[in-house]
Amino acid sequence: MSPTPHPSTLVLGANGFVGRWLVLELLGQGGTVAAGLRGCGSRDAELRHWLRDHGADDRALTTVAADVTRPGLGLSPADEELLGGVRDIHNTAALYRFGLTRPDAVAANVTGAVHTVRWAATRPALRRLVHLSGYRVGQRADPVFPLPDAEADRLYRTVGAYEASKTEGDAAVRVLAPRLGVPLTVVSPSTVIGHSVSGEAGQYLGLARLVEQLWTGRLPALAGGRRTFVPVVAIDHLARLAVAAPEYDQGPVRRHVVLDPATPELPELVALLARHLKVRAPRLLLPAGLVRRLPRALTGVEAETLSFLSSDRYDTASADRLAAAAGLRHPPVDDLLRRWASRLVADRFGAAPSPDVPNDPGHAAGVVAVPTSRERAAGRRCRVRAGG
C-alpha cells in the first residue's frame, strides 16, 4: 500500500454526481485530496475505478469514512488526525431525491450542513468551506436559522422536503459560518447536466426525466409557460468554478449563482432537444398551477418539480467574476444540451450506465453520499485505504 498522503482538501459526498467531478478536477490540478465516503467499502473501489477511467492519477487520494449526519462527521480518531491539516472543504453531501420524508431530508441537508460547518471551525489551517446549494434557495439577504416552527412547516408543505431542506441548509451555513469564524463560499448551481465534451451525465432526475419522456413519446404537453426558464450548467464548468473558489474568494461569506444565462427558455430548449433526437416536440403548454392540481398518474410530473418552473432570472455577476478570474467560460449551451441528451439516451437514462459509470443504484438515483435513516440505523462502517 502506498504511504497515506496528507490531504489539503476534503470533499464530502465524493461518491456523488458533483463530488466525483470535484475530486477529478482537484487531482488533475495536482492536489492531495481526502474523499469523504459513506460507510461501505465498495464505494472506495467504485470511486477509484471511475477516476482512473477518466484519466486521473489517484495516488494522491485518500478515502475516509464520513457521515455528515453525525457530529464530527462520524470520523474515526485516526481519520480526524489525518485531516488535521486540511485547508479547503467542499461539502457536496446531500440527498437529492423527490418524495423524501422530512426527517431524512433534514438529517442530510440541514443537520449535515450544520455538522460540516461546526467541524470546519475546528480545522486550524482552514482556508475556506465551499457549500453546494441551489439557485432557487438562499435568495434572502438576511437568512434565518433555525426557522420558526410555523414558517418551517409552511415551507415543507409548499415546496416539498427536498427544496425546503436545501433552503434550511443554505440558511444554516450562512448564519453559522460567520459566528464560528469559518470563511464560507456558497456555490448555488442551476440544473447540472452533462460534461461539455462527452455529455456524460450520471444523474437522471429533474430535467433529465423530461428528456426521457420526450424520447419515449410520453410528453404530450409541457408544464409551464413560454417564458419559463430552467437554466443549466455543465458539470465540468461547475467543478472547475468550485475548485477555484478557495483561491480567489475573500471575505467571510461569498455566494455564487452558477448557471448559463444563455440557456433557452424551456419550450425552446425542449424543441431544440426534440429536433436533435428526431422526435416530436409537445405543442401544448399547461400552466404549472393547473398541472399541480391534476393527478400525477395522468401528468407523470413530480409535484415537487413544479416550483422550478418559473420565469425568474438570476444574478450571476459574482460567479461571472470568479469565472473570469479563473479563466473559465461556459461551453456553448446548445452543443452542451445536444451532447447531454445523446448521452442520456445511450445510457438508457440510468437503466444501463456506460462502462465508465459505476453501477451504483444510489448514484443513478441522484443520491449523493448521505445515508437514509434505515442505512444509519444499520450502522454500516468500513476500513478505507489510500493510494490504490
Side-chain angles (χ1 to χ4, degrees), residues 66-129:
D67 180 354
V68 298
T69 67
R70 300 175 60 190
L73 309 184
L75 295 167
S76 69
D79 287 340
E80 179 74 28
E81 181 178 356
L82 175 69
L83 299 174
V86 161
R87 297 184 68 209
D88 302 326
I89 302 167
H90 290 266
N91 182 22
T92 71
L95 278 178
Y96 174 31
R97 186 191 302 152
F98 300 118
L100 287 169
T101 67
R102 181 168 172 177
D104 276 346
V106 168
N109 300 340
V110 184
T111 306
V114 170
H115 287 161
T116 300
V117 175
R118 294 194 182 281
W119 184 82
T122 69
R123 299 302 93 188
L126 183 70
R127 179 169 64 166
R128 204 148 197 101
L129 167 64

Side-chain angles (χ1 to χ4, degrees), residues 25 28 68 92 95 102 109 128 157 170 182 203 213 239 243 260 266 294 299 349 367 369-370 384:
E25 182 65 26
V68 298
T92 71
L95 278 178
R102 181 168 172 177
N109 300 340
R128 204 148 197 101
R157 284 196 308 270
D170 182 281
V182 173
Q203 186 161 270
Q213 291 173 323
V243 168
D260 190 339
L266 186 61
L294 295 173
T299 66
F349 301 92
V367 181
V370 175
V384 292

Side-chain angles (χ1 to χ4, degrees), residues 74-255:
L75 295 167
S76 69
D79 287 340
E80 179 74 28
E81 181 178 356
L82 175 69
L83 299 174
V86 161
R87 297 184 68 209
D88 302 326
I89 302 167
H90 290 266
N91 182 22
T92 71
L95 278 178
Y96 174 31
R97 186 191 302 152
F98 300 118
L100 287 169
T101 67
R102 181 168 172 177
D104 276 346
V106 168
N109 300 340
V110 184
T111 306
V114 170
H115 287 161
T116 300
V117 175
R118 294 194 182 281
W119 184 82
T122 69
R123 299 302 93 188
L126 183 70
R127 179 169 64 166
R128 204 148 197 101
L129 167 64
V130 181
H131 174 80
L132 189 72
S133 187
Y135 77 115
R136 294 282 295 170
V137 305
Q139 299 187 52
R140 288 179 60 161
D142 55 341
V144 175
F145 181 81
L147 283 174
D149 288 346
E151 186 174 346
D153 291 344
R154 183 166 58 252
L155 177 66
Y156 279 82
R157 284 196 308 270
T158 303
V159 300
Y162 170 69
E163 188 175 356
S165 63
K166 290 296 289 183
T167 300
E168 275 202 289
D170 182 281
V173 297
R174 292 167 64 200
V175 168
L176 292 176
R179 291 181 187 172
L180 298 173
V182 173
L184 173 69
T185 292
V186 178
V187 174
S188 300
S190 63
T191 297
V192 184
I193 61 171
H195 188 276
S196 61
V197 176
S198 69
E200 181 180 337
Q203 186 161 270
Y204 306 99
L205 295 177
L207 193 57
R209 172 70 173 153
L210 184 147
V211 179
E212 181 180 11
Q213 291 173 323
L214 180 68
W215 170 250
T216 56
R218 293 182 289 114
L219 191 67
L222 189 62
R226 297 194 179 281
R227 300 287 295 170
T228 296
F229 184 54
V230 181
V232 301
V233 60
I235 181 59
D236 48 322
H237 180 84
L238 173 64
R240 290 169 185 151
L241 195 79
V243 168
E247 181 175 353
Y248 292 99
D249 279 355
Q250 302 291 326
V253 179
R254 298 293 303 275
R255 179 174 183 259

Side-chain angles (χ1 to χ4, degrees), residues 20-33:
R20 62 181 58 199
W21 286 98
L22 280 176
V23 173
L24 180 66
E25 182 65 26
L26 287 160
L27 291 174
Q29 293 185 16
T32 52
V33 184

